[in-house]
Amino acid sequence: MQGRRLHKWFISGPPLLYLTVFFAIPTLIMVLASIREPGDFGGLAPLLEQAEDGRRTLNLTLENYQRFFSDSLYAELFFKSFAYALLTTSLCLLIGYPLSLLIARSPKRHRDFLVLLVILPFWSNFLIRVYAWMIILGPQSVFTGALNQFLAWFGFEPVRLLFTPFAVIVGLVYVHLPFMVLPLYANLEKHDPALLDAAQDLGAGAWQRFVRITLPLSLPGVFAGAALVFIPAFGIFAIPDILGGTGGIMIGNVIKQQFLDTRDWPFGSVLSMVLTVVAVGLAGGAAWYARRARALA
Amino acid sequence: MALLEIRNVTRRFGSFIAVNDVSLSIEAGEFFCLLGPSGCGKTTLLRMMAGFDAPDGGSVWLDGRDMTGVAPENRNLHTVFQSYALFPHMSVADNIGFPLKMAGIAPAEIKKRVDEALEDVSLTGMSSRYPNELSGGQRQRVAVARALINRPKLLLLDEPLAALDAKLKEHMQLELITLQKEVGIAFVYVTHDQQEALALAHRIAVMNHGRIEQLDEPSKIYSFPKNRFVADFIGTCNILEAEVAQTDSDRMRVRIPGLGEIVTLQTDDVQAGTRGVLALRPEQVAISAELTREQDRNHFGGKIFDFLYLGDVTVYVVELENGSRVEAMLPNSSPGRAKFFEPGDPVEISWRFDAGRFLTE
Amino acid sequence: MNRRSRFLWIASMFAFAFLYAPLVIVVVYSFNDSRLNAQWVGFTLEWYRKLLEDEEMLTAAWNSLVIGVSASAVATVLGTMAGYAMYRYTLRVLPILVVAPIAIPEILMGVSLLIFFVAINLTLGLFSIVLAHIAFCIGFVAIVVRARLAGMDDSLVEAARDLGATPYRAFRLITLPLIMPGVIAGALMAFTLSIDDFVITYFTAGAGAMTLPLKIYTMVKISVTPEVNAVSTLLMLLTLALIVIASKLSPGTLRGE
């Protein structure tokens, strides 16, 4: 079946080529960059250097990695980002689960509409959504004013909401909530209602039914949603940048700094590499667990 | 030279052998059935005829030409798919005219022939409808019209009536028989419904586990099944364990453990001591309350265990002295009466000497 | 069941309020006759007027449009090919390359493309942005097309072949028309993603190029005026329209995603 072979390459070739050139290769270049010297004016130093005596040396170094592992600042920052992402994921789960459950349990004709309602905010510009929280949490907003009034009655000092870790978390949860709802909903929708009826018939109360039937069956969806929230949240920079002020920096901000401000590209690449490894590791772990959970279900 | 020849075709999927060294030939103009349970290989065989699958061994010959390596679009035969596969985004007319369009025929000519085809299947006036607006039976007719419009040599049908309810199925079966006679094209019809095969086919190939168990006319297969599988699969059959006691020229004596000896037709290749089964059709078994001791018949005593009222007939389950149960079918000649015997009644069952067949596995 | 579903309803109402309140606030304040996004003073279209006078804003909008159209066009073609190939054949590399840009944090792609473009001496600007956008849009289109193909009845293509169509004709006359709604939905999604993209654009834009999200970012960081609200409202309307159309064309697309 020679023709079939040819067809296969003919169809998959162009996208494969494009993605190799504009995704795979840049990734590899970044890996390489992490072990190179920074250039004099930022960026990268040339790979091959020619000294006066004509000798050519390869400009590679492990300094960047050493710096990363020796300075506890970066490890702290990674942990902080990890913690933020974890908190975000948990909150998204807490808020998103009831929402997904509601949509999955509603009559068929409502469902598509409800899903659309959940998704629409997602499709609006990400910056707009963050900006909106700038307004809400800003010092002059109605919300902040009311909150501070409320606190004043109890004798508390007025709090600042914007440019705090709190604002960053709110922003993270807000932006990523649809990512949790969609896979969770997709999973919950497929649950056979007869299972719950059977459980009820055999004596299980509402909470029991949830804990013993719905929750375990929904785990693959939970994991998918968690992965879709955690991984982007882990590497985010715009939200801390806009809402976080100086205190809310995450690893993404440092990477951005290294590349665009300090222009120490090799070090920035090191940070990116570590981020990639952690992100891919988590994604792989989630996928493996999801597969196992599915096999058991 | 036969129209379609399958020569020693084998098809494997990994370690599973779907079609195992099958050979058969199909004559022009005949209605041929591939019959068997799910997984017996009949659909795989059909697909190899159509060209969607290639045999691992053996070859397929159409009209004297070797079809190995010939793509489906270049074979002069068409398939009616189980799901009909009508193109949902094309009207009935465009669906039916599709093969002509592929062959490069002029649009005016296509329109003319499509209208004719619609008349042939009694769907005049439906040309601008879409498949989702048609009923199951109508879709089936469009699928058939589409496959026949450019006069292929052979039509392959993959369980086309499986999705229809019983009444419609019967009606469509008659239509197909009439159609096949009119059109004169050979039909290769795949089904798991043995009733359907018996009703439709000139010849049936009964398949099981990738092999052909028996290939013959329907009545021969029904009355003279070659082995236990065929006997069991076609119609209902009583199967009793038996052993050959004595052979003769045209009849032989066979012993049924716990009951006694009976006389039946001589089967080839058996001798005294050969173990096998006695296959006996329920409609061949007579029941009477008294002992009759007629000549030329085998008799056994027993009592009625249960019965099944089917409207036109009632099937009685008779328990014999050795504990085995035999089904006997009697027509309900008395309107309003469901049965002639009650459970527990002592009765005698009998059948003609040549009614039962001794079969080895 | 009543008490439980009431709890669900209340919790969900909060969730929906949480989702929509911020956006509503942005829209409402875009009509507020005040520089500050605080008290409501009066209704005005001043900020929308200012938008039309803002040269930089208009350039940014135009750039976003051009980038969006070019990137989604190319991504749709490549993505459809990828989706079809993944459906039809068993491939090992392509599925990973297609999904990865979507799965990893955006910043990684932005950063690696920055290094890459500089390494190949490509001046950063509109063109580099388009190239970057295509890379992550391909994945979305591929997934949508593949899902659409999986939902299509296989036997239709076989029937077409059986009736005389070559594989190419079968694709053109049967497969393509049937997946077209999915392809268009994918194109619209790609366009929306491109228009809205911030992170990757931020890294690959270089000094000169300005897109709408970048402009919004600058405004948010430096001088916040309700002009931001105005442009946000308009952008949201556009996105809303596109996504509603996409979901009508290919229902379940958004869910499957």
Side-chain angles (χ1 to χ4, degrees), chain A residues 7 11 18 22 102 112 117 120 123 125 127 131-134 174 185 189 231 241 252 256 259 272 276, chain C residues 12 18-20 26 37 81 89 103 105 107-108 111 113 131 134 196 202 213 217 220-221 229 239-240 255:
Chain A
H7 275 149
I11 307 263
Y18 192 92
F22 290 103
L102 178 88
D112 277 340
L117 271 193
L120 278 182
W123 286 102
N125 192 305
L127 286 175
Y131 172 61
W133 282 102
M134 258 186 91
Y174 185 69
Y185 158 72
E189 191 199 27
I231 293 172
D241 194 49
K256 172 237 177 191
F259 273 95
S272 305
T276 311
Chain C
S12 307
F18 177 63
L19 275 178
Y20 277 92
V26 169
N37 279 309
M81 292 172 86
Y89 311 107
I107 195 170
L108 294 174
V111 156
L113 278 174
L131 292 176
I134 295 176
D196 277 346
Y202 190 64
Y217 175 74
V220 167
K221 287 286 286 187
N229 299 52
T239 315
L240 176 68
R255 288 200 268 145

Side-chain angles (χ1 to χ4, degrees), chain B residues 41 44 53 91 118 152 159 170 229 255 275 278 282 286 315 348:
Chain B
T44 312
D53 219 355
S91 65
L118 283 169
E159 308 210 46
E170 250 183 67
F229 172 77
R255 179 176 40 247
R275 287 252 173 93
L278 182 74
V315 174
E348 179 201 75

